[in-house]
Amino acid sequence: MWSKLDDGFHSHPKIRRAGNAAAGLLARLISYAGQHLTNGVILGPVARDYGTAPQIRKLVALGLLHEQGHACPRCAQPETAGDYVVHDFLASNPSREQVHDGRRKDANRKQAQRNQSPNRARSADDSPTNHNRNAAQPAPESHPGFTTDQQVSEERHAGRLAGAPVDPTRPDPSTSYGGTNKQARPPADEPRIAEPVRPLVDAMTAAGLVVGWHLTPDDWLLLHALVERCTVPVLVEHARGAWEGARTRPRSARYFLPGWRSLPAMPNGAPTPGTNVVPLRPATTSHTDNLLAGLALLEQEGLA
């Protein structure tokens, strides 16, 4: 079940005078009355359990809650002393009898549908959703005892109200690709992956170690050297351990750089983790040597 709360509730003068604590208490009491179909009656122990005595007194003084013996002509009297009733609750919410009657009609309608022949062609009128959508809607109701000014205007929302014309040239916002069959372009801020390091990026992603790769040129140079020196499987395995031991989820690949730099170089011909294949490596690694030399130069200059 549900209860109505006017969208002007937050700025109503009585709510502003009540303050956040008392306003929150009133919202909880409205929800309680709607869930339990009390027609707005609030048991005294419930009110005192949900709020403090000063908050209850403030709501009573503002006329948002009524005690037994109140003078409001629109609200019923609580049957028991110490109980309360939400002001004008039934003006915005259905009564207990209306809810039970609606549930009974809904059950009868569903039973009638189940008794119909399964071969009968269904129509749009069979759907209670379509029926309710096409039915005449009542005028908007305000919160009990509240009068609020219109807070949505054509000028403020630039024609975005219901019934405003739709620009046919705009993409359909209901699809992730703008309503066309063409795949959307990648975001402009998507990092450019250095090709020599792409195997490491792909392996990290495949292992579930998803991090950001917005790195500086010096970082890419360092990663290239580390891939050549330690191999991708070794770097991924080390990153997995760092990932599992981190207090919070790492967001950038820079988190792993200090640990990766401390790893020893893989000897030539050594098998990589997770495989029994011994890679054939050339006798000389001039390219790696050049990268490591560049890395050492960056470290001397304080850039790496």
Side-chain angles (χ1 to χ4, degrees):
M1 194 54 194
W2 47 264
S3 302
K4 290 184 180 179
L5 189 67
D6 191 275
D7 58 5
F9 178 89
H10 65 94
S11 59
H12 190 274
K14 289 185 178 181
I15 294 301
R16 294 172 65 90
R17 289 198 297 270
N20 288 340
L25 171 60
L26 179 61
R28 291 189 67 185
L29 297 181
I30 292 173
S31 174
Y32 167 86
Q35 179 186 21
H36 296 283
L37 303 177
T38 67
N39 289 341
V41 175
I42 306 296
L43 298 179
V46 173
R48 291 186 290 273
D49 179 54
Y50 285 2
T52 64
Q55 293 166 1
I56 297 174
R57 287 196 299 268
K58 187 176 294 185
L59 294 177
V60 172
L62 291 170
L64 299 174
L65 278 184
H66 297 314
E67 297 178 302
Q68 189 181 51
H70 67 85
C72 178
R74 298 195 303 269
C75 299
Q77 293 287 343
E79 297 180 358
T80 305
D83 291 348
Y84 304 90
V85 63
V86 177
H87 175 66
D88 271 357
F89 178 84
L90 294 179
S92 299
N93 293 276
S95 66
R96 181 191 305 108
E97 293 73 16
Q98 289 173 329
V99 171
H100 288 325
D101 183 62
R103 291 175 179 175
R104 182 170 55 255
K105 290 180 179 179
D106 187 59
N108 293 337
R109 177 185 55 79
K110 292 180 179 179
Q111 183 62 43
Q113 289 180 347
R114 286 193 291 267
N115 294 337
Q116 290 175 351
S117 171
N119 297 326
R120 184 185 67 86
R122 293 179 58 84
S123 66
D125 293 336
D126 292 337
S127 172
T129 303
N130 289 338
H131 175 74
N132 294 336
R133 183 184 297 121
N134 297 330
Q137 299 297 321
E141 300 174 352
S142 62
H143 191 274
F146 293 174
T147 56
T148 57
D149 297 331
Q150 182 181 5
Q151 299 186 18
V152 181
S153 64
E154 192 81 20
E155 293 78 9
R156 285 182 59 189
H157 291 268
R160 296 181 184 176
L161 303 179
V166 178
D167 185 356
T169 62
R170 295 185 63 186
D172 182 3
S174 63
T175 63
S176 59
Y177 296 105
T180 66
N181 293 328
K182 297 181 180 180
Q183 186 172 357
R185 295 181 178 180
D189 59 348
E190 182 174 338
R192 297 178 62 87
I193 306 299
E195 288 304 318
V197 188
R198 183 169 294 278
L200 174 62
V201 177
D202 294 341
M204 292 277 289
T205 303
L209 310 178
V210 181
V211 292
W213 295 91
H214 292 276
L215 305 177
T216 66
D218 294 337
D219 292 333
W220 289 117
L221 179 62
L222 171 60
L223 284 176
H224 189 182
L226 292 173
V227 168
E228 293 287 337
R229 184 176 71 177
C230 303
T231 73
V232 168
V234 171
L235 297 178
V236 173
E237 188 66 24
H238 185 275
R240 191 194 309 275
W243 179 285
E244 295 174 354
R247 292 184 178 180
T248 59
R249 173 184 171 184
R251 297 184 179 274
S252 173
R254 290 194 183 93
Y255 178 84
F256 305 107
L257 287 178
W260 282 342
R261 292 175 64 173
S262 65
L263 293 174
M266 289 288 293
N268 291 343
T272 58
T275 178
N276 294 325
V277 178
V278 177
L280 298 176
R281 302 177 63 92
T284 59
T285 56
S286 58
H287 181 60
T288 303
D289 292 340
N290 291 336
L291 288 175
L292 293 177
L295 176 61
L297 179 59
L298 290 174
E299 291 177 340
Q300 292 176 3
E301 296 177 355
L303 298 178

